[in-house]
Amino acid sequence: MDTEHRVILNVGGIRHETYSHVLKKIPATRLSRLTPNTANYDPVLNEYFFDRHPGVFSMIMNYYRTGKLHYPTNVCGPLFEEELEFWGLDANQVEPCCWMTYTQHRDTQETLAVIESLDLDGDPPSQEEVGYVF
């Protein structure tokens, strides 16, 4: 491939290089619609700059290259979801090998919501409210 099809993405200060055809692999996403007319493009540096999480972006860039979206275990689930939303990606595309780890934060948030809704000053919660049998 020649250099005119190379795209430089600066995400959070980390430069990623790829080809425009790689970014077109996943249509209707922020990266598939990049043009030099977008506000993120710097013509002097010939790169697109995004002030986003560079570690998560490495996983996103890998998804464009391989077609497999893996969850980085060094970030929290809500941060990963925010990044996917920003880039226009579907969280349901997370690979099966990462799905349990990725969705664990949702289960935790649901459990915390139940605990917060319990009236601890009133009658003790029933077994149904707690969600398990002693």
Side-chain angles (χ1 to χ4, degrees):
M1 295 266 157
D2 56 318
T3 57
E4 76 179 54
H5 296 288
R6 190 176 298 172
V7 178
I8 300 170
L9 305 165
N10 181 336
V11 181
I14 305 294
R15 294 177 80 227
H16 302 264
E17 293 188 38
T18 191
Y19 295 103
S20 57
H21 77 274
V22 171
L23 301 178
K24 302 286 185 203
K25 285 183 179 180
I26 306 172
T29 62
R30 185 177 300 271
L31 293 176
S32 70
R33 296 186 300 260
L34 285 181
T35 69
N37 297 327
T38 60
N40 299 81
Y41 182 69
D42 182 337
V44 174
L45 297 174
N46 189 32
E47 68 182 23
Y48 296 88
F49 176 76
F50 297 93
D51 193 15
R52 305 300 297 187
H53 194 287
V56 172
F57 185 74
S58 292
M59 302 308 282
I60 289 169
M61 194 67 248
N62 190 57
Y63 178 43
Y64 278 86
R65 291 179 177 131
T66 66
K68 297 179 185 291
L69 180 59
H70 292 279
Y71 171 66
T73 56
N74 62 337
V75 298
C76 67
L79 171 64
F80 187 62
E81 286 180 340
E82 287 174 20
E83 291 299 304
L84 290 178
E85 185 178 325
F86 175 81
W87 297 108
L89 298 172
D90 183 0
N92 291 324
Q93 298 304 308
V94 171
E95 287 296 302
C97 60
C98 297
W99 188 253
M100 291 288 289
T101 305
Y102 167 61
T103 57
Q104 188 175 22
H105 77 279
R106 292 181 186 165
D107 296 338
T108 302
Q109 287 175 325
E110 289 173 12
T111 302
L112 288 173
V114 168
I115 291 171
E116 288 176 359
S117 71
L118 296 176
D119 180 11
L120 299 180
D121 292 331
D123 295 330
S126 70
Q127 291 178 350
E128 292 173 356
E129 290 175 315
V130 174
Y132 58 90
V133 179
F134 294 96

